[in-house]
Amino acid sequence: MMNRVILHCKVDNFYISVHEAQNNSLSTTAFYIFNNNTIIDVNNNARSYGISKGDDIYNIKINDTAVNAIPADYDKYLDIDKTLYNIYSRYSMLCEYAGPGKCFIDISATAFRMYPVNIAQMIISEVKNTLGLSISIGISFNKLLAEIASDIAMPGSTRILASGTFREPLWDLPVYKIPGITRHLIKKLNRHSIYTVKDIALLNQDKMRLICGKPGIILWEYACGIDVREVVHSNVDCDIRSIGEGFTQKGIIDCNDDIRLILLILSQKISKQLLSNDVKACGIQIIVRDEQLRNHELSSLLCQPTQSPLSLARQGYKLFKDNYNWQSDIISIALKATKIVHSPQNPLTDINNTQKNSTAIYSDSVSSLAHSIYGGVTYSTTGRDKRQTDSEDLRKFTEFFSDKSC
């Protein structure tokens, strides 16, 4: 079998770089990018003021003129992504979209004619000349090591992890640097005093399976530099623009707890459609209609592309709670998954059947509670009725929404 040559191309600080490329003056100033009062990215100059991703813009205690605030422009980011993908596609028919500003390219068929580093340098130059963006490219014999190589490469350069040299840079990484690893798995590993990739490699498969279930086997293979995933051609021009579900109440909706339950029902329906179409959402939108028949549209960028009903429900509720002031009660609400992209592979989550099943059972129990409250029930005209529900279900529901993971 021919040795594979995989490139992982990554725009350095994608959101920041897009704005700096279109406005050169920003590179010498401090600025952050925000959406719905939440900071989604920060440049190095702004970090010196103590500003971090995820901060609320209203909590920033600095002079307004010291740091520029730039609203997120999702349409611009998606256009840049499509242009990048078109550039990558000129070098191989096997290009796999891997997230904003990221792509895997399998150049195995052409690597024998040209040295892989030369191909990578041509891509770096073309992206720089066409879009003004700096990209880092990792080169290796599988997707895992190519992605890690791009992460440890200097900005705007290449890094090779060959079969005889990958172990040291791989083993020195902390476990949270493993591509695709979830917070849940990180906590499990840390509870067993496993903090680096080397700690995983020194265990055996049976031990890792005992600690993490099926993902433990994948993690052990990753720690040994084993990754058999193929680069799968993606079509970034997704025909699906958005997926939405709505809810109209017979009476009125008058409190945040009602909204939380409704969003959970809607997010599960949307998640099923995302999964069936093998796509993920990069953004969400909420459309609220109040009793005065006024529409309120709220939108936000998700922390990462997702198909998860948990992420959609939590992010949707945060978006609603941060932006709706309850001057009027609500008669209907709709949730939309927006900025749809094809789903990048992630075996650490895709094969985690144990986690998926437990999450589904847990979500179903909460969803059943929601349906028992809203299924066919008519509110009074005041909407202030107190509804009796099982205290254990409500406790689980509160825990579900208090979990901060995406």
Side-chain angles (χ1 to χ4, degrees):
M1 180 178 176
M2 182 177 62
N3 291 330
R4 295 194 299 167
V5 181
I6 310 297
L7 307 183
H8 183 261
C9 305
K10 180 188 72 172
V11 177
D12 304 314
N13 301 317
F14 178 71
Y15 299 113
I16 294 295
S17 296
V18 168
H19 288 277
E20 288 182 343
Q22 298 190 354
N23 184 353
N24 292 330
S25 64
L26 289 175
S27 60
T28 59
T29 63
F31 73 95
Y32 59 82
I33 302 168
F34 72 95
N35 182 69
N36 287 317
N37 306 329
T38 300
I39 296 174
I40 63 172
D41 210 352
V42 183
N43 76 342
N44 290 330
N45 294 328
R47 288 192 183 98
S48 63
Y49 291 91
I51 302 173
S52 303
K53 286 195 293 186
D55 289 348
D56 191 307
I57 61 175
Y58 294 116
N59 294 333
I60 299 176
K61 307 296 183 183
I62 57 175
N63 190 318
D64 289 341
T65 60
V67 180
N68 294 320
I70 300 177
D73 188 339
Y74 310 126
D75 292 332
K76 180 190 297 182
Y77 305 146
L78 289 175
D79 287 341
I80 294 291
D81 253 342
K82 290 178 181 179
T83 304
L84 282 168
Y85 189 83
N86 289 334
I87 292 174
Y88 299 147
S89 298
R90 296 171 194 162
Y91 295 87
S92 174
M93 294 179 63
L94 291 176
C95 295
E96 179 181 333
Y97 179 77
K102 299 177 182 178
C103 187
F104 288 104
I105 310 174
D106 188 334
I107 60 169
S108 303
T110 56
F112 71 93
R113 295 198 302 264
M114 184 181 295
Y115 193 49
V117 172
N118 293 339
I119 296 175
Q121 290 293 348
M122 290 171 62
I123 296 173
I124 290 173
S125 297
E126 184 169 356
V127 171
K128 187 69 174 178
N129 294 334
T130 304
L131 296 171
L133 297 175
S134 170
I135 67 170
S136 302
I137 299 182
I139 307 170
S140 194
F141 55 92
N142 64 40
K143 292 171 70 174
L144 168 76
L145 295 176
E147 185 168 356
I148 289 174
S150 69
D151 288 338
I152 62 180
M154 295 293 290
S157 67
T158 63
R159 177 68 184 266
I160 300 176
L161 289 182
S163 57
T165 61
F166 73 85
R167 181 167 294 181
E168 183 176 349
L170 175 62
W171 281 15
D172 288 344
L173 293 176
V175 293
Y176 63 81
K177 289 285 189 178
I178 298 174
I181 194 168
T182 63
R183 298 180 187 181
H184 179 72
L185 289 174
I186 294 170
K187 290 177 182 178
K188 280 188 174 182
L189 293 171
N190 290 168
R191 282 199 296 267
H192 289 81
S193 300
I194 300 172
Y195 300 101
T196 66
V197 175
K198 183 178 181 179
D199 294 336
I200 296 175
L202 294 178
L203 298 175
N204 56 46
Q205 284 185 321
D206 293 337
K207 179 66 174 178
M208 284 299 298
R209 186 183 182 111
L210 184 64
I211 294 172
C212 299
K214 289 183 179 180
I217 299 174
I218 297 293
L219 286 171
W220 183 85
E221 291 177 346
Y222 278 7
C224 297
I226 302 169
D227 182 10
V228 298
R229 292 175 298 159
E230 299 289 339
V231 175
V232 181
H233 176 73
S234 302
N235 178 13
V236 293
D237 293 319
C238 187
D239 294 332
I240 303 172
R241 301 300 179 188
S242 65
I243 295 175
E245 293 286 345
F247 181 94
T248 301
Q249 178 59 30
K250 294 180 180 179
I252 58 172
I253 306 167
D254 65 347
C255 67
N256 285 338
D257 286 341
D258 294 345
I259 295 296
R260 287 195 291 189
L261 285 165
I262 294 168
L263 289 177
L264 183 54
I265 297 173
L266 301 180
S267 66
Q268 287 182 308
K269 293 180 179 180
I270 292 172
S271 177
K272 288 179 181 178
Q273 296 182 60
L274 291 170
L275 287 165
S276 65
N277 288 283
D278 196 26
V279 293
K280 289 188 176 182
C282 295
I284 55 171
Q285 182 182 37
I286 293 177
I287 303 173
V288 175
R289 184 168 236 199
D290 64 25
E291 57 185 348
Q292 306 299 321
L293 301 183
R294 294 172 299 194
N295 286 341
H296 308 263
E297 295 188 6
L298 313 170
S299 61
S300 174
L301 185 69
L302 295 171
C303 56
Q304 59 186 13
T306 187
Q307 297 169 323
S308 166
L310 285 73
S311 295
L312 294 171
R314 292 180 186 130
Q315 298 290 335
Y317 177 65
K318 182 180 186 302
L319 174 64
F320 174 85
K321 188 177 179 182
D322 290 348
N323 293 277
Y324 193 73
N325 55 20
W326 284 109
Q327 290 183 354
S328 298
D329 290 332
I330 295 169
I331 59 173
S332 70
I333 183 169
L335 177 66
K336 280 187 178 182
T338 61
K339 314 299 178 187
I340 303 297
V341 297
H342 285 275
S343 174
Q345 296 176 332
N346 183 359
L348 287 176
T349 53
D350 292 345
I351 72 154
N352 194 354
N353 295 324
T354 303
Q355 267 190 305
K356 278 188 175 182
N357 290 338
S358 63
T359 299
I361 293 170
Y362 184 68
S363 298
D364 286 344
S365 67
V366 181
S367 187
S368 297
L369 168 63
H371 281 294
S372 70
I373 294 175
Y374 291 105
V377 175
T378 302
Y379 283 99
S380 67
T381 54
T382 61
R384 308 296 175 185
D385 294 353
K386 300 298 181 183
R387 297 172 291 281
Q388 299 297 320
T389 55
D390 184 85
S391 59
E392 179 65 14
D393 281 341
L394 284 176
R395 182 187 65 79
K396 289 181 179 179
F397 176 74
T398 303
E399 290 175 355
F400 172 81
F401 270 95
S402 64
D403 189 334
K404 302 299 183 183
S405 62
C406 291

